[in-house]
């Protein structure tokens, strides 16, 4: 392949996402209070988003890309309101940091493919459901729990049709939840180490890829 971009940040990057409609733009964050938007064409920073945190754990663009969310490491007694932050992409203004009030970090975020909702994986060993519309209210009646996170950066994802929510687990298993009922419909003993990612194939939904903390990768059908 041909390299089309090269640059270096002053911090270690742990999250990077392309803009959903502007193909030449991506946003990255990591071990820094700053999140930066870059332009591939110029290799320059377009905008800087600043929050009073130490690390960005994940980034999620909301539909159409006008807003995006960051999950952070802020969980001290007076900072639980900064665990998930909503940003205006164009102005770099902070829209809200009053989204998630539990004192758990959220290592991963995922957007529903058809409905205006998103899910946050939490270190409370459950996934929380939120509206993707302002003010991003949490659904207090629905919670996806049964798997374990226990400090690992465990990812979660919806199936392409939005009916299933899949997540890894620190015990090496993969859990499949019914999105509508939040019930576990199946578990898979996938790895001996913590399973940190489980994702559906974007075109062939019967294929699932998983990986664990030790670097093992498996494809399931």
């Amino acid at each position: 392949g041909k390299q089309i971009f090269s640059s270096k940040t002053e911090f270690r990057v742990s999250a990077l996402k392309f803009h959903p409609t502007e193909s030449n733009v991506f946003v990255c964050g990591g071990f820094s209070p700053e999140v930066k938007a870059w332009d591939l064409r110029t290799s320059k920073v377009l905008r800087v988003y600043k929050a009073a945190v130490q690390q960005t754990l994940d980034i999620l663009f909301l539909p159409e890309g006008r807003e995006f969310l960051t999950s952070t490491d802020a969980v001290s007694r007076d900072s639980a309101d900064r665990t998930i932050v909503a940003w205006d992409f164009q102005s770099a203004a902070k829209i809200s940091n009053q989204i998630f009030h539990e004192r758990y970090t959220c290592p991963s975020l995922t957007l529903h493919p058809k409905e205006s909702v998103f899910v946050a994986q939490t270190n409370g060993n459950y996934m929380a459901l939120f509206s993707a519309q302002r003010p991003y209210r949490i659904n207090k009646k629905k919670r996806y729990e049964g798997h374990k996170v226990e400090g690992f950066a465990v990812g979660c994802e919806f199936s392409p049709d939005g009916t299933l929510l899949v997540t890894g687990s620190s015990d090496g298993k993969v859990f499949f939840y019914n999105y509508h009922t939040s019930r576990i419909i199946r578990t898979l003993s996938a790895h001996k180490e913590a399973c940190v990612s489980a994702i559906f194939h974007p075109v062939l939904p019967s294929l699932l890829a998983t990986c664990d903390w030790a670097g093992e990768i498996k494809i399931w059908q």
Side-chain angles (χ1 to χ4, degrees):
K2 179 183 177 182
Q3 180 177 302
I4 61 172
F5 175 89
S6 179
S7 189
K8 187 174 179 63
T9 65
E10 63 276 15
F11 56 85
R12 196 168 74 190
V13 174
S14 58
L16 186 151
K17 293 291 172 65
F18 277 101
H19 193 280
T21 61
E22 298 184 32
S23 60
N24 290 305
V25 175
F26 69 88
V27 172
C28 70
F31 291 80
S32 168
E34 297 181 344
V35 172
K36 294 184 177 182
W38 293 79
D39 191 320
L40 294 177
R41 296 160 295 190
T42 63
S43 297
K44 293 183 179 180
V45 175
L46 290 174
R47 295 174 200 90
V48 178
Y49 310 82
K50 295 183 179 181
V53 300
Q54 296 299 313
Q55 182 186 358
T56 296
L57 303 177
D58 200 10
I59 298 168
L60 179 69
F61 275 101
L62 297 180
E64 300 179 7
R66 289 192 290 265
E67 300 167 5
F68 71 93
L69 306 171
T70 56
S71 61
T72 77
D73 65 344
V75 291
S76 63
R77 185 175 63 181
D78 60 347
S79 63
D81 60 350
R82 296 197 301 271
T83 304
I84 299 176
V85 182
W87 303 89
D88 182 279
F89 175 72
Q90 290 293 340
S91 69
K94 189 184 299 179
I95 299 171
S96 176
N97 59 1
Q98 302 288 325
I99 298 174
F100 185 54
H101 298 282
E102 299 289 328
R103 292 194 178 98
Y104 300 115
T105 54
C106 298
S108 63
L109 308 169
T110 189
L111 187 68
H112 194 279
K114 296 183 178 181
E115 298 184 17
S116 188
V117 296
F118 71 92
V119 160
Q121 180 80 269
T122 81
N123 268 302
N125 296 324
Y126 67 90
M127 292 178 287
L129 181 68
F130 298 83
S131 169
Q133 302 290 330
R134 299 185 194 183
Y136 320 106
R137 296 189 190 281
I138 190 171
N139 186 331
K140 295 181 179 180
K141 297 180 180 179
K142 192 175 290 187
R143 175 183 285 195
Y144 305 87
E145 54 188 341
H147 62 289
K148 299 177 181 178
V149 180
E150 297 181 330
F152 288 94
V154 175
C156 57
E157 186 183 78
F158 285 102
S159 60
D161 64 2
T163 60
L164 298 176
L165 179 60
V166 65
T167 178
S169 182
S170 64
D171 58 8
K173 294 180 180 178
V174 175
F175 284 72
F176 298 85
Y177 292 88
N178 182 300
Y179 161 62
H180 295 288
T181 67
S182 70
R183 293 178 180 173
I184 298 170
I185 59 173
R186 186 181 178 185
T187 61
L188 184 67
S189 296
H191 299 274
K192 293 180 180 179
E193 302 291 335
C195 180
V196 293
S197 184
I199 59 171
F200 289 98
H201 191 285
V203 179
L204 304 172
S206 62
L207 293 183
L208 182 81
T210 65
C211 65
D212 71 8
W213 184 250
E216 184 179 51
I217 302 169
K218 294 182 179 181
I219 307 294
W220 306 82
Q221 188 168 33

